[in-house]
Structures are given as C-alpha cells and as structure tokens.
Amino acid sequence: MKSDTTMQINITRTEKSKIDHVDFNDLKFGQVFSDHMLVCDYENGEWGSPEVVPYQPISLNPSAKIFHYGQSVFEGMKAYKDAENNILLFRPLDNCKRLNISSKRLAIPELPESYFMDGLTELLKIEKDWIPTSEGSALYIRPFIFATGEGFHASPADAYKFIIACAPSGPYFSGKVKVLIEEKYSRSANGGVGFAKAGGNYAGQFYPTQLAKEKGYDQVIWTDDNTHEYIEEAGAMNIFIRINDTLVTVPTSDRILDGITRKSILEIAKDEGIDVEIRKLKVSELIEASKNGSLKEMFGTGTAAVISPISGFGFKGEDFDLPFVENTYADRLKKRITDIQTNKADDPYGWRVVV
Ligand SMILES: Cc1ncc(COP(=O)(O)O)c(C=O)c1O
C-alpha cells in the first residue's frame, strides 16, 4: 500500500485467538470483533507511534471529554480477499482524508496519513484470516478518534486516541428497505457538522429513526432542515433516484456526507452509459414521479450496505410503493462495484488497493 513513509509499528499478539468461536457462515453485521486492534495516542501536541495490540477494553476517567462534549469521529471501510488470497481495500486514502476532514470540524488534531495507512496495513496483515470470503461478506473496518483528555471545561481536549478495530460482517440489510421521508426532525443544518462522520450525528438520528420504525419503516430519509422540501440522504447512505432512465442524486453540501460509494457509483454509472444528474430534488417531484409512473427505482449507497434497494417510501401519512422493474440499475451497479472491490473484474479507475 502506498504511503509517505513506512513506519515501525510495534505488535503485541493475542495469546489466544477467538477465531474458532466465530461462525463465518452466519455473520451478522458488526457484531463480532477480530483479535487485534491498532491504537495510537495523541499527547503533548503530537501523535505517538501506532501499535497493534490484542482487542481489549479501554480504561478512561469519567472526566474524559468524549463523555461530555462528544469529540469523536469515525470511518467505515471494508477489506476483501480475492481468489489469490490478496487482501484488498477500496479507495482507503479517501477514508483517511475524510477522517481528517471530520476531525478538523470537531477541533480534533489531524492524523498523519502514514499512521493511518501503514497502521491499517499492519493490522490487516495480522487479521488476514478474519476476512470472510462468502458473497456479501467482508471485514468491516472501523477507524475512529475520540477525546481522552480530561476536564469539565467545554473546550477541545488535549489528548485523543485513534483506534482501528475490525468486525467480520455479513450484509447490512437483509432485503429491500422501506423508508420514511422526514418532515419534522433534521439530521444536520447549514454550517453544522452533517458533512463530518461525527458520532453525534448518528446519536441525533436514533430517536426519529426509532419513531419511524414504530410506524413500520426501516430508515429515515432526511430532508433539508430549513423547509423539509428537499431530499438529502439516509441514516448511513446517500440516496439515488431513477426517474425514467435518468439516475438522480443530490449534490453534497455541508449537511451531507460525501460518500465514497456515491462518488464511485456516479463514475461507474456514467461509464455504463446511464444518464446521471446531480441536482436538488424536491419531495413533491418524487411524489409526482411516483404518481405518473416515471419513478422506477430508489436505492441507498454506502460502504456498509453497498447498494440497498428501497421498496417504498412514506410521506405525510401516505405510502408510495416502488414498481417492479426488470434489470434494475441497483443490481447492475452493485455488481459492477462489488466485482471491482473483490477483484472479479478489472479496475479501470485504480480504486482497488492490494495490501
Ligand atoms: C450519513 C452517511 N451518509 C452516507 C454514507 C455513505 O458513505 P460511504 O459510501 O463513504 O460509506 C455514510 C456511511 O459512511 C453515512 O454515515
């Protein structure tokens, strides 16, 4: 893997692997964790050396600022293994860069790219046997940074911890998802932290999502905080809408996460000859398209779910079902991207990285 420098990373191996207790034929998403993790501490104004250690609990004082002011950012990535047993990552530098974009917004010190990339490489080499190979599964990778510095003063911490932990995982959703278009709550606002992968963004979604689940929906589609008239994104996915044969997705902004799957799908779709539009989309346009039959498909994109087809949506007490469509864009694009990710197809984009 490319990085600025190759650094020395200390490794302490676990005395007893847990791998024999894991049923790799029945993996849920993000429920079991591999044997090791990467840890790196920020103290006295600098990041120390990353280390690989056994996966273990973290001890923090109650005054650690993560508990009070929520300074925490994270990423989500996947590692795959191909037929030749190579470990593969998908656009990992983009996750590293986005982690630093998120950190900057939360006043967390940026992490040198080599710490992320070399640390991840070292960790994955050790956790190679934890990478599942069955269709739809992968080693989900969770890099995250949080404030360990202490104090009850509302100001940035002076110490942080960067960790990468891994979870062999099956599919995120088991089938199509039914979504509720949100008309009251907001996930993010102009000038806020919506574009960052900040822990608090997700905490703020849980309550409205719980309400949606009580009404029989799986996910919320967020709308703009100002008018609730425009489609934004889902809980952990960007949204694509097919109207006739045109694939529409909304522009990213400081309210929306710049998804790596989203931008990859946009490129693949264009190269597949699909007409793509990046533009704002009103809920009223979606409803109109549903009523006049031009709404063909909706799907979410994200690392965890890859491409998740939507079966229907609710808005203001009314439900709208998506029609049955042959040869969906969702299936076609999902195959293209997963074939690239898992080395079942050429990668003309240079996105796949062999560790
Ligand atoms: C809010 C949100 N939007 C979109 C995405 C999709 O981003 P990506 O494709 O980089 O995983 C995610 C997941 O990371 C997310 O949490």
Side-chain angles (χ1 to χ4, degrees), residues 74-77 95 98 140 142 187 194 196-197 201-202 205 222 233-239 255-264 301-306:
F74 67 100
E75 271 302 320
M77 322 168 63
N95 292 98
R98 192 170 65 186
Y140 184 75
R142 172 53 58 82
R187 175 189 174 273
K197 258 184 104 67
N201 281 344
Y202 299 81
Q205 300 189 113
W222 300 102
E233 64 173 325
M237 296 187 292
N238 297 108
I239 292 293
R255 300 185 307 273
I256 297 179
L257 192 82
D258 185 5
I260 295 164
T261 320
R262 172 188 175 277
K263 65 184 180 188
S264 308
T301 64
T303 299
V306 193

Side-chain angles (χ1 to χ4, degrees), residues 72-86:
S72 104
V73 293
F74 67 100
E75 271 302 320
M77 322 168 63
K78 279 178 175 170
Y80 312 88
K81 229 168 10 181
D82 67 9
E84 278 78 54
N85 225 20
N86 293 307

Side-chain angles (χ1 to χ4, degrees), residues 221-235:
I221 301 257
W222 300 102
T223 46
D224 69 291
D225 62 297
N226 192 21
T227 64
H228 294 288
E229 279 180 15
Y230 293 90
I231 300 286
E232 302 244 289
E233 64 173 325

Side-chain angles (χ1 to χ4, degrees), residues 104-255:
K104 189 170 178 188
R105 180 63 182 81
L106 278 276
I108 295 173
E110 289 176 40
L111 182 77
E113 268 178 16
S114 60
Y115 285 41
F116 184 103
M117 299 299 275
D118 294 353
L120 180 58
T121 302
E122 221 39 68
L123 180 65
L124 289 178
K125 283 184 184 160
I126 290 172
E127 301 301 67
K128 188 167 183 172
D129 291 345
W130 284 90
I131 305 175
T133 49
S134 60
E135 171 117 21
S137 64
L139 186 68
Y140 184 75
I141 304 166
R142 172 53 58 82
F144 60 109
I145 304 180
F146 59 95
T148 53
E150 297 174 10
F152 293 152
H153 187 272
S155 55
D158 59 1
Y160 298 86
K161 203 179 267 298
F162 168 55
I163 295 182
I164 306 181
C166 303
S169 295
Y172 194 75
F173 293 117
S174 48
K176 289 189 173 184
V177 293
K178 190 174 165 197
V179 297
L180 179 67
I181 298 182
E182 185 57 60
E183 52 184 285
K184 176 179 178 194
Y185 297 100
S186 300
R187 175 189 174 273
S188 59
N190 286 329
V193 295
F195 66 93
K197 258 184 104 67
N201 281 344
Y202 299 81
Q205 300 189 113
F206 291 161
Y207 176 64
T209 305
Q210 212 171 297
L211 296 179
K213 285 190 171 160
E214 283 165 16
K215 292 183 194 154
Y217 301 94
D218 304 298
Q219 282 272 304
V220 168
I221 301 257
W222 300 102
T223 46
D224 69 291
D225 62 297
N226 192 21
T227 64
H228 294 288
E229 279 180 15
Y230 293 90
I231 300 286
E232 302 244 289
E233 64 173 325
M237 296 187 292
N238 297 108
I239 292 293
F240 283 77
I241 290 155
R242 173 176 166 191
I243 299 177
N244 289 318
D245 285 340
T246 302
L247 194 56
V248 183
T249 193
V250 306
T252 53
S253 69
D254 59 3
R255 300 185 307 273

Side-chain angles (χ1 to χ4, degrees), residues 94-105:
D94 291 35
N95 292 98
C96 175
K97 288 185 191 306
R98 192 170 65 186
L99 185 69
N100 277 333
I101 290 171
S102 301
S103 286
K104 189 170 178 188
R105 180 63 182 81

